[in-house]
Every structure is written in C-alpha cells, then in structure tokens.
C-alpha cells in the first residue's frame, strides 16, 4: 500500500513533466540532490545538505544512500500527520512515505518561501531539513507555533534547522 502510493506520486510527476514545455520557463534543467545518510550502527541519521537555497521552479530529489535505514522526507503541514505549518501558505505539502536504500523521491517547489521537512521515523533523532526558495525579503520562516490539535516539533527538531541567513549566504549547508 505504501509502495503503491509513492509510485503513483512519482508516475504522476513524470506525466506532469512530460506535459510541460521543456525546458519549463525559469526552471533549472536538473534536480538538486539531497541525500539521506546514516551511520552503519544507526546512531546518527541526517539529510545532506540539510539546508539548501534554490529558485522557484527547482526540482529537489532526495535519495536514500543509507544502506542500513529507511527514511522519509515529509513536509511539516497540518494536512500531513497534523503537524504545524512550516512551508509557505498555499504551497503543496508532500510525504514520500518510506524510501528503502537506493530509492528516490522528487518535488518541484514553485512557491517562494521557507520549507521545513523531516524524516518520520527519525524526527526525534533530529533528522530535519530546510529549503529556502527565492530570496529575502520575499522569504520568511513560518512561525510554526503549536496550535490545538497539531503535534508540536520536539526540541531536537526545532534546533536542527540551519538559519535562513546561513542557507542564503552559502547556497547549501552541510552537517557540521
Ligand atoms: Cu530517517
């Protein structure tokens, strides 16, 4: 069931891409790559880079390069597991479901703003990431304050995001 849903999403993306004029206006031709990594003993898991700066229309592709763990890439959004909103208002949230080692998942981000995401099984290990789409002052982190009925972020996740300033200054932020 889980596998089926992810494959439908990927197939849908492929059909959409096929229907768009190529190259799409303003869109970069290649996906920006983010890897999902982990220590062999599972003691540490992370996204690399875990902060990245792109322009609207960029496709991001996450690939699980961790041979020992399955991971997800999941947007913080009330519509997905009732989490606080930490992507731009009106932007489409996503959930990759579990990616086995070697599997990938892609999204195209068209709305400027700040997108925070996490790995479902490893949020409590601090496995989170941030994408800045576009440039300040047009972008601003969503406060993501806890609202009734939404599950707040654990402290280890809240403290795990690189700052917008660091991301924009460096283009990409890697695990320190
Ligand atoms: Cu994970």
């Amino acid at each position: 069931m889980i596998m089926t849903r992810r494959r439908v999403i990927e197939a849908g993306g492929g059909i959409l891409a096929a229907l768009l004029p190529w190259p799409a206006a303003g869109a970069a031709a290649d996906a920006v790559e983010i890897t999902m990594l982990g220590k062999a003993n599972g003691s540490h898991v992370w996204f690399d880079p875990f902060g990245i700066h792109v322009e609207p229309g960029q496709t991001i592709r996450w690939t699980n390069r961790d041979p020992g763990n399955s991971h997800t890439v999941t947007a913080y959004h009330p519509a997905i597991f009732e989490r606080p909103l930490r992507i731009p208002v009106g932007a489409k949230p996503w959930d990759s479901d579990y990616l086995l080692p070697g599997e990938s998942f892609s999204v195209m981000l068209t709305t400027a703003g700040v997108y925070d995401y996490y790995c479902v099984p490893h949020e409590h290990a601090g496995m989170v990431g941030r994408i800045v789409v576009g440039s300040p002052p047009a972008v601003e982190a969503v406060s993501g304050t806890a609202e009734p009925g939404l599950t707040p972020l654990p402290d280890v996740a809240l403290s795990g995001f690189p700052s917008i300033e660091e991301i924009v200054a460096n283009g990409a932020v890697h695990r320190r």
Side-chain angles (χ1 to χ4, degrees):
M1 204 58 180
I2 288 171
M3 301 287 287
T4 300
R5 182 150 73 88
R6 184 173 69 251
R7 285 185 179 142
V8 167
I9 290 169
E10 288 177 350
I15 292 164
L16 180 60
L19 293 173
L20 289 170
W22 189 87
D30 297 321
V32 166
E33 301 282 348
I34 298 176
T35 52
M36 303 151 126
L37 297 171
K39 300 247 179 175
N41 64 5
S43 60
H44 295 289
V45 283
W46 66 95
F47 294 102
D48 185 69
F50 72 123
I52 198 155
H53 182 212
V54 299
E55 294 304 318
Q58 177 66 57
T59 296
I60 313 289
R61 180 166 57 224
W62 289 265
T63 300
N64 183 1
R65 300 289 183 205
D66 176 359
N69 291 289
S70 293
H71 300 283
T72 81
V73 52
T74 306
Y76 282 109
H77 193 284
I80 299 183
F81 307 130
E82 301 181 316
R83 305 308 303 276
L85 179 68
R86 297 180 71 94
I87 70 173
V89 173
K92 191 165 176 282
W94 70 87
D95 173 32
S96 68
D97 269 324
Y98 284 84
L99 299 178
L100 301 175
E103 292 189 318
S104 297
F105 178 83
S106 300
V107 297
M108 180 188 285
L109 302 179
T110 55
T111 302
V114 177
Y115 296 72
D116 290 344
Y117 62 87
Y118 65 110
C119 169
V120 168
H122 300 122
E123 181 189 29
H124 285 268
M127 189 169 177
V128 298
R130 170 171 282 175
I131 303 167
V132 178
V133 178
S135 296
V139 302
E140 175 180 329
V142 178
S143 66
T145 50
E147 294 174 38
L150 301 180
T151 304
L153 280 64
D155 287 344
V156 67
L158 280 174
S159 63
F161 301 108
S163 73
I164 296 169
E165 292 72 21
E166 184 178 11
I167 293 170
V168 171
N170 295 284
V173 180
H174 297 270
R175 184 182 174 84
R176 291 172 276 253

